[in-house]
């Protein structure tokens, strides 16, 4: 018995996965550029204790080092 597949729903799922992957790469590229920039980011600076820069420059932001 052949499995029933709907090609339009398969292409919709594939397109949504591609969009999510590209969006993830863009966000990671942005955070990578912030990690090595001299200035901080005002994009997600919501206060002294809640900022992307605090997390991005912490010891937990490195993997092999």
């Amino acid at each position: 018995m052949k499995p029933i597949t709907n090609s339009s729903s398969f292409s919709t799922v594939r397109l949504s996965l591609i969009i999510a992957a590209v969006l993830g790469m863009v966000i990671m590229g942005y955070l990578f550029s912030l990690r090595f920039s001299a200035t901080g980011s005002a994009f997600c600076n919501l206060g002294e204790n809640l900022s992307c820069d605090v997390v991005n420059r912490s010891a937990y932001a490195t993997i092999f080092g």
Side-chain angles (χ1 to χ4, degrees):
M1 185 179 252
K2 291 175 96 175
I4 300 172
T5 59
N6 188 352
S7 64
S8 66
S9 67
F10 180 72
S11 63
T12 303
V13 169
R14 179 181 278 181
L15 181 64
S16 63
L17 287 174
I18 290 171
I19 289 172
V22 169
L23 184 62
M25 287 189 299
V26 168
I27 291 171
M28 288 306 299
Y30 172 70
L31 291 175
F32 184 77
S33 68
L34 283 181
R35 171 80 172 138
F36 296 106
S37 70
T39 61
S41 167
F43 176 70
C44 60
N45 189 8
L46 302 175
E48 185 177 320
N49 295 328
L50 186 60
S51 174
C52 293
D53 289 333
V54 172
V55 175
N56 202 12
R57 296 184 189 273
S58 72
Y60 299 107
T62 58
I63 295 174
F64 295 113

